[in-house]
mmCIF file of all heavy atoms in Angstrom:
data_model
loop_
_atom_site.group_PDB
_atom_site.id
_atom_site.type_symbol
_atom_site.label_atom_id
_atom_site.label_comp_id
_atom_site.label_asym_id
_atom_site.label_seq_id
_atom_site.Cartn_x
_atom_site.Cartn_y
_atom_site.Cartn_z
ATOM 1 N N ILE T 1 0.866 -1.155 0.018
ATOM 2 C CA ILE T 1 0.016 0.000 0.045
ATOM 3 C C ILE T 1 0.886 1.203 -0.073
ATOM 4 O O ILE T 1 1.933 1.233 0.595
ATOM 5 C CB ILE T 1 -1.007 0.007 1.275
ATOM 6 C CG1 ILE T 1 -2.039 1.066 1.089
ATOM 7 C CG2 ILE T 1 -0.204 0.101 2.519
ATOM 8 C CD1 ILE T 1 -3.083 1.036 2.084
ATOM 9 N N SER T 2 0.448 2.293 -0.667
ATOM 10 C CA SER T 2 1.160 3.547 -0.725
ATOM 11 C C SER T 2 0.189 4.711 -0.916
ATOM 12 O O SER T 2 -0.968 4.391 -1.299
ATOM 13 C CB SER T 2 2.223 3.534 -1.807
ATOM 14 O OG SER T 2 1.616 3.353 -3.114
ATOM 15 N N ARG T 3 0.641 5.857 -0.720
ATOM 16 C CA ARG T 3 -0.255 6.993 -0.809
ATOM 17 C C ARG T 3 0.474 8.226 -1.409
ATOM 18 O O ARG T 3 1.697 8.406 -1.171
ATOM 19 C CB ARG T 3 -0.917 7.344 0.502
ATOM 20 C CG ARG T 3 -0.030 7.724 1.614
ATOM 21 C CD ARG T 3 -0.736 7.815 2.944
ATOM 22 N NE ARG T 3 -1.477 9.013 3.116
ATOM 23 C CZ ARG T 3 -2.268 9.259 4.154
ATOM 24 N NH1 ARG T 3 -2.411 8.272 5.134
ATOM 25 N NH2 ARG T 3 -2.986 10.371 4.282
ATOM 26 N N ASP T 4 -0.308 9.112 -1.985
ATOM 27 C CA ASP T 4 0.214 10.423 -2.395
ATOM 28 C C ASP T 4 -0.651 11.390 -1.704
ATOM 29 O O ASP T 4 -1.835 11.651 -2.124
ATOM 30 C CB ASP T 4 0.179 10.527 -3.979
ATOM 31 C CG ASP T 4 0.812 11.763 -4.520
ATOM 32 O OD1 ASP T 4 0.649 12.787 -3.842
ATOM 33 O OD2 ASP T 4 1.329 11.643 -5.628
ATOM 34 N N ASN T 5 -0.056 12.021 -0.745
ATOM 35 C CA ASN T 5 -0.852 13.043 0.094
ATOM 36 C C ASN T 5 -1.349 14.206 -0.800
ATOM 37 O O ASN T 5 -2.348 14.787 -0.632
ATOM 38 C CB ASN T 5 -0.162 13.399 1.295
ATOM 39 C CG ASN T 5 0.085 12.295 2.328
ATOM 40 O OD1 ASN T 5 -0.805 11.503 2.437
ATOM 41 N ND2 ASN T 5 1.187 12.348 2.965
ATOM 42 N N ALA T 6 -0.434 14.650 -1.628
ATOM 43 C CA ALA T 6 -0.698 15.847 -2.431
ATOM 44 C C ALA T 6 -1.891 15.584 -3.339
ATOM 45 O O ALA T 6 -2.680 16.473 -3.597
ATOM 46 C CB ALA T 6 0.528 16.258 -3.271
ATOM 47 N N LYS T 7 -1.937 14.388 -3.889
ATOM 48 C CA LYS T 7 -3.007 14.058 -4.828
ATOM 49 C C LYS T 7 -4.246 13.485 -4.110
ATOM 50 O O LYS T 7 -5.307 13.273 -4.696
ATOM 51 C CB LYS T 7 -2.485 13.076 -5.857
ATOM 52 C CG LYS T 7 -1.516 13.557 -6.773
ATOM 53 C CD LYS T 7 -1.112 12.529 -7.863
ATOM 54 C CE LYS T 7 -0.126 13.034 -8.819
ATOM 55 N NZ LYS T 7 0.214 11.957 -9.805
ATOM 56 N N ARG T 8 -4.013 13.099 -2.779
ATOM 57 C CA ARG T 8 -5.097 12.505 -1.989
ATOM 58 C C ARG T 8 -5.513 11.196 -2.652
ATOM 59 O O ARG T 8 -6.679 10.882 -2.848
ATOM 60 C CB ARG T 8 -6.228 13.401 -1.719
ATOM 61 C CG ARG T 8 -5.895 14.678 -1.002
ATOM 62 C CD ARG T 8 -7.109 15.390 -0.396
ATOM 63 N NE ARG T 8 -7.949 15.963 -1.509
ATOM 64 C CZ ARG T 8 -9.089 16.642 -1.284
ATOM 65 N NH1 ARG T 8 -9.353 16.938 -0.052
ATOM 66 N NH2 ARG T 8 -9.815 17.092 -2.271
ATOM 67 N N GLU T 9 -4.488 10.370 -2.985
ATOM 68 C CA GLU T 9 -4.681 9.121 -3.610
ATOM 69 C C GLU T 9 -4.038 8.033 -2.789
ATOM 70 O O GLU T 9 -3.018 8.293 -2.100
ATOM 71 C CB GLU T 9 -4.220 9.121 -5.042
ATOM 72 C CG GLU T 9 -5.041 10.073 -5.984
ATOM 73 C CD GLU T 9 -4.453 9.923 -7.401
ATOM 74 O OE1 GLU T 9 -3.489 9.292 -7.698
ATOM 75 O OE2 GLU T 9 -5.151 10.717 -8.267
ATOM 76 N N VAL T 10 -4.640 6.876 -2.864
ATOM 77 C CA VAL T 10 -4.028 5.718 -2.203
ATOM 78 C C VAL T 10 -3.973 4.535 -3.176
ATOM 79 O O VAL T 10 -4.873 4.486 -4.076
ATOM 80 C CB VAL T 10 -4.728 5.260 -0.929
ATOM 81 C CG1 VAL T 10 -6.211 4.901 -1.207
ATOM 82 C CG2 VAL T 10 -4.017 4.074 -0.214
ATOM 83 N N TYR T 11 -2.981 3.716 -3.156
ATOM 84 C CA TYR T 11 -2.757 2.634 -4.120
ATOM 85 C C TYR T 11 -2.637 1.289 -3.419
ATOM 86 O O TYR T 11 -2.098 1.347 -2.257
ATOM 87 C CB TYR T 11 -1.523 2.955 -4.933
ATOM 88 C CG TYR T 11 -1.452 4.387 -5.497
ATOM 89 C CD1 TYR T 11 -0.674 5.339 -4.867
ATOM 90 C CD2 TYR T 11 -2.198 4.751 -6.573
ATOM 91 C CE1 TYR T 11 -0.616 6.646 -5.282
ATOM 92 C CE2 TYR T 11 -2.176 6.089 -7.085
ATOM 93 C CZ TYR T 11 -1.368 7.019 -6.362
ATOM 94 O OH TYR T 11 -1.351 8.381 -6.776
ATOM 95 N N LEU T 12 -2.896 0.231 -4.146
ATOM 96 C CA LEU T 12 -2.597 -1.118 -3.639
ATOM 97 C C LEU T 12 -1.919 -1.835 -4.758
ATOM 98 O O LEU T 12 -2.578 -2.151 -5.752
ATOM 99 C CB LEU T 12 -3.835 -1.724 -3.173
ATOM 100 C CG LEU T 12 -3.583 -3.119 -2.503
ATOM 101 C CD1 LEU T 12 -2.833 -2.986 -1.156
ATOM 102 C CD2 LEU T 12 -4.923 -3.887 -2.296
ATOM 103 N N GLN T 13 -0.687 -2.111 -4.565
ATOM 104 C CA GLN T 13 0.047 -3.016 -5.611
ATOM 105 C C GLN T 13 -0.145 -4.488 -5.150
ATOM 106 O O GLN T 13 0.330 -4.781 -4.067
ATOM 107 C CB GLN T 13 1.547 -2.587 -5.661
ATOM 108 C CG GLN T 13 2.365 -3.456 -6.691
ATOM 109 C CD GLN T 13 1.901 -3.286 -8.131
ATOM 110 O OE1 GLN T 13 1.622 -2.148 -8.528
ATOM 111 N NE2 GLN T 13 1.782 -4.386 -8.816
ATOM 112 N N MET T 14 -0.771 -5.263 -6.030
ATOM 113 C CA MET T 14 -1.056 -6.662 -5.724
ATOM 114 C C MET T 14 -0.198 -7.526 -6.642
ATOM 115 O O MET T 14 -0.292 -7.548 -7.763
ATOM 116 C CB MET T 14 -2.511 -7.003 -5.887
ATOM 117 C CG MET T 14 -3.426 -5.902 -5.180
ATOM 118 S SD MET T 14 -5.164 -6.060 -5.752
ATOM 119 C CE MET T 14 -5.548 -7.748 -5.401
ATOM 120 N N ASN T 15 0.807 -8.202 -6.078
ATOM 121 C CA ASN T 15 1.645 -9.095 -6.732
ATOM 122 C C ASN T 15 1.347 -10.580 -6.364
ATOM 123 O O ASN T 15 0.883 -10.824 -5.201
ATOM 124 C CB ASN T 15 3.075 -8.810 -6.521
ATOM 125 C CG ASN T 15 3.451 -7.414 -7.057
ATOM 126 O OD1 ASN T 15 2.891 -6.923 -7.995
ATOM 127 N ND2 ASN T 15 4.423 -6.775 -6.393
ATOM 128 N N ASN T 16 1.742 -11.534 -7.198
ATOM 129 C CA ASN T 16 1.515 -12.889 -6.952
ATOM 130 C C ASN T 16 0.167 -13.178 -6.368
ATOM 131 O O ASN T 16 -0.055 -13.856 -5.358
ATOM 132 C CB ASN T 16 2.575 -13.397 -5.949
ATOM 133 C CG ASN T 16 2.598 -14.790 -5.766
ATOM 134 O OD1 ASN T 16 2.238 -15.609 -6.663
ATOM 135 N ND2 ASN T 16 3.125 -15.359 -4.679
ATOM 136 N N VAL T 17 -0.884 -12.699 -7.139
ATOM 137 C CA VAL T 17 -2.223 -12.853 -6.555
ATOM 138 C C VAL T 17 -2.685 -14.290 -6.631
ATOM 139 O O VAL T 17 -2.173 -15.118 -7.435
ATOM 140 C CB VAL T 17 -3.195 -11.977 -7.386
ATOM 141 C CG1 VAL T 17 -2.885 -10.536 -7.237
ATOM 142 C CG2 VAL T 17 -3.211 -12.332 -8.878
ATOM 143 N N LYS T 18 -3.602 -14.591 -5.765
ATOM 144 C CA LYS T 18 -4.106 -15.944 -5.609
ATOM 145 C C LYS T 18 -5.560 -15.917 -5.799
ATOM 146 O O LYS T 18 -6.259 -14.959 -5.586
ATOM 147 C CB LYS T 18 -3.740 -16.511 -4.218
ATOM 148 C CG LYS T 18 -2.249 -16.481 -3.853
ATOM 149 C CD LYS T 18 -1.994 -16.977 -2.430
ATOM 150 C CE LYS T 18 -0.524 -16.895 -2.127
ATOM 151 N NZ LYS T 18 -0.282 -17.358 -0.733
ATOM 152 N N PRO T 19 -6.197 -17.108 -6.131
ATOM 153 C CA PRO T 19 -7.658 -17.165 -6.286
ATOM 154 C C PRO T 19 -8.412 -16.688 -5.053
ATOM 155 O O PRO T 19 -9.515 -15.973 -5.152
ATOM 156 C CB PRO T 19 -7.985 -18.641 -6.629
ATOM 157 C CG PRO T 19 -6.656 -19.118 -7.267
ATOM 158 C CD PRO T 19 -5.596 -18.362 -6.592
ATOM 159 N N GLU T 20 -7.851 -16.937 -3.823
ATOM 160 C CA GLU T 20 -8.480 -16.418 -2.647
ATOM 161 C C GLU T 20 -8.467 -14.940 -2.471
ATOM 162 O O GLU T 20 -9.043 -14.432 -1.521
ATOM 163 C CB GLU T 20 -7.898 -17.157 -1.407
ATOM 164 C CG GLU T 20 -6.346 -17.112 -1.361
ATOM 165 C CD GLU T 20 -5.737 -18.392 -1.866
ATOM 166 O OE1 GLU T 20 -6.111 -18.845 -3.012
ATOM 167 O OE2 GLU T 20 -4.775 -18.804 -1.296
ATOM 168 N N ASP T 21 -7.765 -14.171 -3.289
ATOM 169 C CA ASP T 21 -7.739 -12.772 -3.281
ATOM 170 C C ASP T 21 -9.031 -12.235 -3.994
ATOM 171 O O ASP T 21 -9.211 -10.979 -3.992
ATOM 172 C CB ASP T 21 -6.522 -12.235 -3.951
ATOM 173 C CG ASP T 21 -5.264 -12.535 -3.085
ATOM 174 O OD1 ASP T 21 -5.258 -12.500 -1.897
ATOM 175 O OD2 ASP T 21 -4.223 -12.890 -3.771
ATOM 176 N N THR T 22 -9.814 -13.036 -4.690
ATOM 177 C CA THR T 22 -10.952 -12.673 -5.351
ATOM 178 C C THR T 22 -11.951 -11.975 -4.434
ATOM 179 O O THR T 22 -12.323 -12.593 -3.416
ATOM 180 C CB THR T 22 -11.634 -13.740 -6.055
ATOM 181 O OG1 THR T 22 -10.781 -14.253 -7.151
ATOM 182 C CG2 THR T 22 -12.877 -13.390 -6.656
ATOM 183 N N ALA T 23 -12.251 -10.777 -4.678
ATOM 184 C CA ALA T 23 -13.197 -10.067 -3.777
ATOM 185 C C ALA T 23 -13.550 -8.682 -4.337
ATOM 186 O O ALA T 23 -12.837 -8.292 -5.415
ATOM 187 C CB ALA T 23 -12.594 -9.843 -2.371
ATOM 188 N N VAL T 24 -14.455 -7.921 -3.829
ATOM 189 C CA VAL T 24 -14.640 -6.518 -3.986
ATOM 190 C C VAL T 24 -13.773 -5.833 -3.122
ATOM 191 O O VAL T 24 -13.816 -6.032 -1.924
ATOM 192 C CB VAL T 24 -16.159 -6.055 -3.927
ATOM 193 C CG1 VAL T 24 -16.322 -4.611 -4.190
ATOM 194 C CG2 VAL T 24 -17.086 -6.908 -4.789
ATOM 195 N N TYR T 25 -12.897 -4.914 -3.637
ATOM 196 C CA TYR T 25 -12.009 -4.127 -2.913
ATOM 197 C C TYR T 25 -12.499 -2.704 -2.728
ATOM 198 O O TYR T 25 -12.929 -2.058 -3.679
ATOM 199 C CB TYR T 25 -10.594 -4.073 -3.540
ATOM 200 C CG TYR T 25 -9.873 -5.489 -3.445
ATOM 201 C CD1 TYR T 25 -10.326 -6.613 -4.079
ATOM 202 C CD2 TYR T 25 -8.696 -5.486 -2.606
ATOM 203 C CE1 TYR T 25 -9.659 -7.778 -3.870
ATOM 204 C CE2 TYR T 25 -8.050 -6.749 -2.389
ATOM 205 C CZ TYR T 25 -8.522 -7.912 -3.060
ATOM 206 O OH TYR T 25 -7.825 -9.035 -2.864
ATOM 207 N N TYR T 26 -12.475 -2.288 -1.470
ATOM 208 C CA TYR T 26 -13.000 -1.000 -1.032
ATOM 209 C C TYR T 26 -11.928 -0.035 -0.582
ATOM 210 O O TYR T 26 -11.117 -0.545 0.223
ATOM 211 C CB TYR T 26 -14.071 -1.111 -0.011
ATOM 212 C CG TYR T 26 -15.312 -1.890 -0.497
ATOM 213 C CD1 TYR T 26 -15.392 -3.254 -0.281
ATOM 214 C CD2 TYR T 26 -16.352 -1.185 -1.080
ATOM 215 C CE1 TYR T 26 -16.533 -3.964 -0.650
ATOM 216 C CE2 TYR T 26 -17.576 -1.879 -1.430
ATOM 217 C CZ TYR T 26 -17.537 -3.268 -1.238
ATOM 218 O OH TYR T 26 -18.736 -4.010 -1.650
ATOM 219 N N CYS T 27 -11.877 1.099 -1.043
ATOM 220 C CA CYS T 27 -11.045 2.137 -0.475
ATOM 221 C C CYS T 27 -11.731 2.808 0.607
ATOM 222 O O CYS T 27 -12.875 3.013 0.639
ATOM 223 C CB CYS T 27 -10.658 3.135 -1.640
ATOM 224 S SG CYS T 27 -9.882 4.681 -1.144
ATOM 225 N N ALA T 28 -10.915 3.133 1.666
ATOM 226 C CA ALA T 28 -11.530 3.871 2.865
ATOM 227 C C ALA T 28 -10.533 4.936 3.278
ATOM 228 O O ALA T 28 -9.302 4.796 3.241
ATOM 229 C CB ALA T 28 -11.697 2.868 4.011
ATOM 230 N N VAL T 29 -11.075 6.043 3.712
ATOM 231 C CA VAL T 29 -10.338 7.221 4.139
ATOM 232 C C VAL T 29 -10.930 7.678 5.534
ATOM 233 O O VAL T 29 -12.091 7.676 5.599
ATOM 234 C CB VAL T 29 -10.381 8.342 3.142
ATOM 235 C CG1 VAL T 29 -9.923 9.760 3.732
ATOM 236 C CG2 VAL T 29 -9.634 8.028 1.911
ATOM 237 N N PHE T 30 -10.043 7.916 6.418
ATOM 238 C CA PHE T 30 -10.428 8.361 7.746
ATOM 239 C C PHE T 30 -9.892 9.651 8.069
ATOM 240 O O PHE T 30 -8.650 9.894 8.183
ATOM 241 C CB PHE T 30 -10.031 7.320 8.833
ATOM 242 C CG PHE T 30 -10.627 5.964 8.510
ATOM 243 C CD1 PHE T 30 -9.926 5.034 7.819
ATOM 244 C CD2 PHE T 30 -11.854 5.609 9.027
ATOM 245 C CE1 PHE T 30 -10.466 3.755 7.462
ATOM 246 C CE2 PHE T 30 -12.472 4.348 8.811
ATOM 247 C CZ PHE T 30 -11.729 3.424 7.974
ATOM 248 N N ALA T 31 -10.841 10.697 8.251
ATOM 249 C CA ALA T 31 -10.340 12.146 8.241
ATOM 250 C C ALA T 31 -11.077 13.022 9.243
ATOM 251 O O ALA T 31 -11.429 14.084 8.789
ATOM 252 C CB ALA T 31 -10.402 12.669 6.851
ATOM 253 N N PRO T 32 -11.292 12.708 10.438
ATOM 254 C CA PRO T 32 -11.281 11.424 11.065
ATOM 255 C C PRO T 32 -12.548 10.570 10.792
ATOM 256 O O PRO T 32 -12.439 9.380 10.939
ATOM 257 C CB PRO T 32 -11.129 11.636 12.567
ATOM 258 C CG PRO T 32 -11.911 13.010 12.751
ATOM 259 C CD PRO T 32 -11.578 13.785 11.459
ATOM 260 N N SER T 33 -13.582 11.189 10.266
ATOM 261 C CA SER T 33 -14.755 10.416 9.891
ATOM 262 C C SER T 33 -14.385 9.523 8.761
ATOM 263 O O SER T 33 -13.475 9.682 7.972
ATOM 264 C CB SER T 33 -15.866 11.333 9.479
ATOM 265 O OG SER T 33 -16.214 12.186 10.521
ATOM 266 N N GLY T 34 -15.063 8.368 8.646
ATOM 267 C CA GLY T 34 -14.723 7.400 7.686
ATOM 268 C C GLY T 34 -15.504 7.619 6.370
ATOM 269 O O GLY T 34 -16.763 7.867 6.524
ATOM 270 N N TYR T 35 -14.876 7.446 5.295
ATOM 271 C CA TYR T 35 -15.528 7.490 4.011
ATOM 272 C C TYR T 35 -15.080 6.295 3.179
ATOM 273 O O TYR T 35 -14.019 5.842 3.204
ATOM 274 C CB TYR T 35 -15.072 8.780 3.269
ATOM 275 C CG TYR T 35 -15.396 10.122 4.031
ATOM 276 C CD1 TYR T 35 -14.471 10.653 4.802
ATOM 277 C CD2 TYR T 35 -16.627 10.692 3.948
ATOM 278 C CE1 TYR T 35 -14.668 11.806 5.543
ATOM 279 C CE2 TYR T 35 -16.935 11.821 4.625
ATOM 280 C CZ TYR T 35 -15.844 12.395 5.445
ATOM 281 O OH TYR T 35 -16.235 13.551 6.248
ATOM 282 N N TRP T 36 -16.091 5.788 2.376
ATOM 283 C CA TRP T 36 -15.867 4.565 1.587
ATOM 284 C C TRP T 36 -16.203 4.674 0.173
ATOM 285 O O TRP T 36 -17.084 5.526 -0.253
ATOM 286 C CB TRP T 36 -16.819 3.450 2.178
ATOM 287 C CG TRP T 36 -16.373 3.029 3.568
ATOM 288 C CD1 TRP T 36 -16.747 3.699 4.718
ATOM 289 C CD2 TRP T 36 -15.550 1.940 3.924
ATOM 290 N NE1 TRP T 36 -16.211 3.053 5.774
ATOM 291 C CE2 TRP T 36 -15.525 1.963 5.407
ATOM 292 C CE3 TRP T 36 -14.925 1.009 3.240
ATOM 293 C CZ2 TRP T 36 -14.766 1.041 6.077
ATOM 294 C CZ3 TRP T 36 -14.234 -0.021 3.924
ATOM 295 C CH2 TRP T 36 -14.109 0.029 5.381
ATOM 296 N N GLY T 37 -15.407 4.091 -0.626
ATOM 297 C CA GLY T 37 -15.765 3.982 -2.030
ATOM 298 C C GLY T 37 -16.788 3.051 -2.432
ATOM 299 O O GLY T 37 -17.230 2.331 -1.541
ATOM 300 N N GLN T 38 -17.040 2.909 -3.682
ATOM 301 C CA GLN T 38 -18.116 2.009 -4.081
ATOM 302 C C GLN T 38 -17.556 0.503 -4.236
ATOM 303 O O GLN T 38 -18.314 -0.384 -4.399
ATOM 304 C CB GLN T 38 -18.730 2.457 -5.387
ATOM 305 C CG GLN T 38 -19.504 3.817 -5.316
ATOM 306 C CD GLN T 38 -20.662 3.663 -4.355
ATOM 307 O OE1 GLN T 38 -21.541 2.775 -4.473
ATOM 308 N NE2 GLN T 38 -20.821 4.549 -3.397
ATOM 309 N N GLY T 39 -16.308 0.420 -4.403
ATOM 310 C CA GLY T 39 -15.658 -0.884 -4.527
ATOM 311 C C GLY T 39 -15.299 -1.146 -6.048
ATOM 312 O O GLY T 39 -15.971 -0.645 -6.956
ATOM 313 N N THR T 40 -14.313 -1.992 -6.102
ATOM 314 C CA THR T 40 -13.875 -2.452 -7.523
ATOM 315 C C THR T 40 -13.675 -3.982 -7.498
ATOM 316 O O THR T 40 -13.055 -4.485 -6.464
ATOM 317 C CB THR T 40 -12.622 -1.654 -7.934
ATOM 318 O OG1 THR T 40 -12.307 -2.143 -9.326
ATOM 319 C CG2 THR T 40 -11.433 -1.971 -7.082
ATOM 320 N N GLN T 41 -14.152 -4.673 -8.378
ATOM 321 C CA GLN T 41 -14.093 -6.118 -8.405
ATOM 322 C C GLN T 41 -12.711 -6.618 -8.879
ATOM 323 O O GLN T 41 -12.170 -6.184 -9.831
ATOM 324 C CB GLN T 41 -15.187 -6.707 -9.299
ATOM 325 C CG GLN T 41 -15.076 -8.223 -9.414
ATOM 326 C CD GLN T 41 -15.591 -8.942 -8.191
ATOM 327 O OE1 GLN T 41 -16.536 -8.561 -7.548
ATOM 328 N NE2 GLN T 41 -14.732 -9.927 -7.692
ATOM 329 N N VAL T 42 -12.152 -7.494 -8.104
ATOM 330 C CA VAL T 42 -10.930 -8.182 -8.482
ATOM 331 C C VAL T 42 -11.205 -9.679 -8.562
ATOM 332 O O VAL T 42 -11.654 -10.271 -7.546
ATOM 333 C CB VAL T 42 -9.808 -7.922 -7.379
ATOM 334 C CG1 VAL T 42 -8.570 -8.802 -7.816
ATOM 335 C CG2 VAL T 42 -9.399 -6.429 -7.461
#
């Protein structure tokens, strides 16, 4: 996981993925209230 504070972006580099990694992945930000994205299917 990494982030770019200036761009307000967060990334997830996924290597050597496995079938058990199959899921909907959600981004979350705590500022301090929590905010969630809609999710992206992997």
Side-chain angles (χ1 to χ4, degrees):
I1 189 170
S2 60
R3 62 190 282 174
D4 185 325
N5 291 326
K7 294 182 177 179
R8 297 193 299 182
E9 295 183 356
V10 61
Y11 314 99
L12 186 68
Q13 178 65 42
M14 306 167 61
N15 296 329
N16 190 24
V17 295
K18 303 176 180 180
E20 51 263 42
D21 294 322
T22 295
V24 177
Y25 283 71
Y26 297 91
C27 167
V29 166
F30 299 90
S33 298
Y35 304 94
W36 294 82
Q38 294 296 310
T40 184
Q41 177 70 48
V42 172

